């Protein structure tokens, strides 16, 4: 926990590479002048990019990494290159205490595997989870996890995700008792898999946790503002998130097609451009960029591979907020309380 | 297989009840004058509704059912009332050969349980699945299954769903070799659960099936027209479908909010009303109403509870199309071929 966090940036990650990551960092610094950076990657490329951002250059150190993890690299290949790649060295900087958080827009599976190996999980955590913020029609965003780190999960994993997601919601949204729900195919208690039913029973029985467990939620209510944290296994969460993203893009494409179908429609589009701008702002994934690996001894944020400079700046903001918090201690404390009530699940660790 | 199919309609099912189901049947009859109906439910209410539709009345028989399955009834309760409820008697009419298909807009779980008990599964089928048509940006609709009938599925179940979905796509869309894909969290072969990976291996190894297995598909590509049939377990499929529905509604709500935010936006909206109409038509679930329980000895179609008369007419059209086909024989033949190559999976039945 620090007030002047230093963020290690995998400068080479993402579809657009070093120009977008430095531009994003420069924007983040303008919004939050106390930030420091460790730019990790090809020294010459970073130096050239920093030359265009004097303020960022003054706030940054550079760590040379000769290699880059490719999008096609398997996690098992990636972990063998932890000491030579920009992603590996950014994570290592967190491990060594040279940075307070790491950020990468590279290969998600590799980032997860390298982070888990280097930073290890928090006491009491079986598996880390990938959490992201999604827009809702309510007052707050929504924390969703796991979004793909764990294909299959048991009831205890889901409880851990609930605790981690609630800690994250308390920090990023300032809520005291976030409303937590389990993603399910019906609201009734008897619906769903055994794992989900058992997790619901465990959470109902844990009023001492700093969260309000509100039962199941169906996927058509995701964005209605009825929950602050939605928990699922990584397979289901990934499918739900991608269904949402795909549908948003599908409708945008239909709208574009509809609005270019006639002169009258085009004129209508021009007239209502501010309305479309509002819609676009609300749906733009860059405004919600920055997924977090929760449950590790250290902060690792995943920026979207296609994020623009504004998106990178948002993700850096998430990393800084977490670095200024004591999320690891909060999660560990909450889980210790849970395990004190469930000695069997604690002993299994 | 008949050219003048008789559809047993649970006239009492759905949020709006008998007035919408009869109005829907009347519309379907107008489009397809060779249809016959067996209207099942409260005799007096049906008689009153039919009085407003003389042509439908002439094409219909009425079967009195004193009771109705409620939306809150558990499947286990519902099956005990198969002989007294409109839903139960509509299914029974198919079993007895008095109708070629049953249609209900009532409780999905009850409809599934009652249909399975009364009609039994086809030879070689372990579990029936719920399939629906979804709109895409491509030339054809998309068949998705399972949408919630089976919470947990093994690899053989997924293969059966692929065979059933392909047979359905051949019939409703007239395709020769539908492109089948498994819903997964990545396109690569090593992604996903053991069940999905094993199902992929089985399908890759079955070129004799009348389908083209094209591997995995991610949920953000659902509506892009890249597959004719998408297969998943019922938990994942239900979450994906509801995420799509919820996001479509979310964006529609945002658009409404945006377009009423200023006079200028309102004027733009009025000017581009034809474009919005096009969008609405494409997304309107009534235009894709009629989910099918595949794998039973008989045709059962589920109409959406909130469908309007046009939606009911669409669902009746689906039922009629299936009644005129030999879907049961096609599915049984295809599965027999699969089991001939996999004696172990056949022996397990």
């Amino acid at each position: 926990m620090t007030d002047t966090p230093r963020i290690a940036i995998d400068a080479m990650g993402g579809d657009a590479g070093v120009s977008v990551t430095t531009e994003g960092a420069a924007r983040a610094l303008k919004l939050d002048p106390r930030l420091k950076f460790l730019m990790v990657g090809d020294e010459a490329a970073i130096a050239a990019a920093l030359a265009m951002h004097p303020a960022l250059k003054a706030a940054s150190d550079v760590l040379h990494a000769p290699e880059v993890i490719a999008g096609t690299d398997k996690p098992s290949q990636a972990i063998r290159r932890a000491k030579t790649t920009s992603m590996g060295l950014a994570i290592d900087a967190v491990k060594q205490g040279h940075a307070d958080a790491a950020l990468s827009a590279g290969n998600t599976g590799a980032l997860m595997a390298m982070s888990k190996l280097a930073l290890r999980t928090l006491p009491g955590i079986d598996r880390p989870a990938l959490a992201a913020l999604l827009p809702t029609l309510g007052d707050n965003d929504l924390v969703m996890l796991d979004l793909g780190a764990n294909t299959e999960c048991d009831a205890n994993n889901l409880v851990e995700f609930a605790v981690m997601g609630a800690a994250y919601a308390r920090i990023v949204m300032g809520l005291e008792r976030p409303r937590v729900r389990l993603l399910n195919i019906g609201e009734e208690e008897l619906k769903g898999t055994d794992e989900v039913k058992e997790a619901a029973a465990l959470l109902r029985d844990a009023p001492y946790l700093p969260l309000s467990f509100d039962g199941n939620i169906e996927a058509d209510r995701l964005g209605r503002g009825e929950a602050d944290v939605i928990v699922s296994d990584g397979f289901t969460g990934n499918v739900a998130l991608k269904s949402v993203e795909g549908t948003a893009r599908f409708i945008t494409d239909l709208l574009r097609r509809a609005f270019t179908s006639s002169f009258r429609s085009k004129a209508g589009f021009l007239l209502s451009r501010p309305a479309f701008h509002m819609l676009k702002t609300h749906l733009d994934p860059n405004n919600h960029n920055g997924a977090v690996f929760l449950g590790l001894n250290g902060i690792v944020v995943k920026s979207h591979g296609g994020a623009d400079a504004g998106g990178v700046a948002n993700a850096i903001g998430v990393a800084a907020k977490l670095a200024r918090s004591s999320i690891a201690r909060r999660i560990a404390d909450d889980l210790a309380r849970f395990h004190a009530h469930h000695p069997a699940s604690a002993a299994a660790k």
Side-chain angles (χ1 to χ4, degrees), chain A:
Chain A
M1 187 167 151
T2 165
D3 200 41
T4 55
R6 192 178 198 228
I7 318 289
I9 308 233
D10 169 7
M12 316 309 285
D15 304 344
V18 67
S19 63
V20 166
T21 39
T22 45
E23 169 78 29
R27 286 204 201 183
L29 181 66
K30 213 166 170 183
L31 293 167
D32 186 351
R34 284 173 305 173
L35 292 181
K36 303 279 169 212
F37 295 95
L38 180 66
M39 306 297 282
V40 189
D42 182 79
E43 213 163 13
I46 293 172
L50 285 180
M52 325 224 293
H53 302 285
L56 177 64
K57 190 177 173 182
S60 299
D61 290 310
V62 178
L63 178 62
H64 179 65
E67 295 178 38
V68 176
I69 300 287
T72 51
D73 286 346
K74 289 186 186 164
S76 55
Q77 300 168 324
I79 51 174
R80 287 195 288 267
R81 301 201 289 144
K83 300 289 182 184
T84 55
T85 54
S86 55
M87 185 188 282
L89 288 171
I91 297 166
D92 190 60
V94 174
K95 183 183 180 183
Q96 307 296 341
H98 302 151
D100 302 298
L103 182 137
S104 175
N107 183 327
T108 310
L111 185 62
M112 180 77 213
M114 289 171 119
S115 301
K116 200 174 164 183
L117 192 68
L119 301 175
R120 305 280 165 185
T121 53
L122 286 171
I125 292 281
D126 185 22
R127 300 182 185 189
L130 186 61
L133 292 172
L134 297 184
T136 74
L137 294 172
D139 295 329
N140 282 316
D141 282 347
L142 160 72
V143 175
M144 243 184 104
L145 77 167
D146 174 27
L147 295 175
N150 307 284
T151 303
E152 272 154 306
C153 299
D154 65 19
N156 270 311
N157 297 141
L158 296 173
V159 170
E160 290 172 11
F161 298 170
V163 166
M164 297 194 294
Y168 186 50
R170 298 209 305 278
I171 289 164
V172 291
M173 305 194 286
L175 301 168
E176 228 170 277
R177 282 180 77 82
R179 297 163 303 160
V180 174
R181 289 191 175 206
L182 291 167
L183 185 57
N184 203 338
I185 59 173
E187 297 220 339
E188 311 87 326
E189 283 183 24
L190 55 92
K191 289 276 181 171
T193 60
D194 291 342
E195 291 77 19
V196 173
K197 283 185 268 191
E198 199 191 322
L202 288 167
L203 286 168
R204 265 196 302 275
D205 200 32
Y208 49 82
L209 289 175
L211 56 87
S212 160
F213 178 60
D214 292 357
N216 296 325
I217 191 164
E218 292 189 67
D220 58 347
R221 313 292 304 167
L222 287 180
R224 312 309 288 193
E226 295 163 4
D228 303 309
V229 179
I230 295 183
V231 171
S232 71
D233 67 83
F235 192 92
T236 308
N238 189 285
V239 165
L241 178 69
K242 285 187 183 150
S243 297
V244 167
E245 289 174 349
T247 307
R249 214 158 45 230
F250 178 92
I251 296 179
T252 316
D253 288 355
L254 276 180
L255 273 174
R256 189 173 302 125
R257 208 183 266 187
F259 277 105
T260 50
S261 64
S262 72
F263 177 76
R264 181 178 154 175
S265 293
K266 268 186 224 167
F269 173 76
L270 289 176
L271 204 54
S272 28
R273 200 179 261 176
F276 279 104
H277 184 73
M278 194 191 284
L279 180 74
K280 200 169 165 291
T281 305
H282 204 93
L283 292 180
D284 186 352
N286 282 301
N287 295 335
H288 293 84
N289 189 33
V292 182
F293 286 122
L294 294 175
L296 297 172
N297 283 304
I299 296 157
V300 179
V301 173
K302 168 74 175 78
S303 174
H304 198 286
D308 63 17
V312 172
N314 267 322
I316 291 172
V318 168
K321 210 161 191 173
L322 288 172
R324 287 187 174 117
S325 76
S326 17
I327 188 163
R329 193 174 46 74
R330 287 201 201 190
I331 290 174
D333 287 356
D334 293 348
L335 275 177
R337 274 198 267 181
F338 177 74
H339 290 310
H341 285 79
H342 295 87
S345 68
K349 303 288 164 193

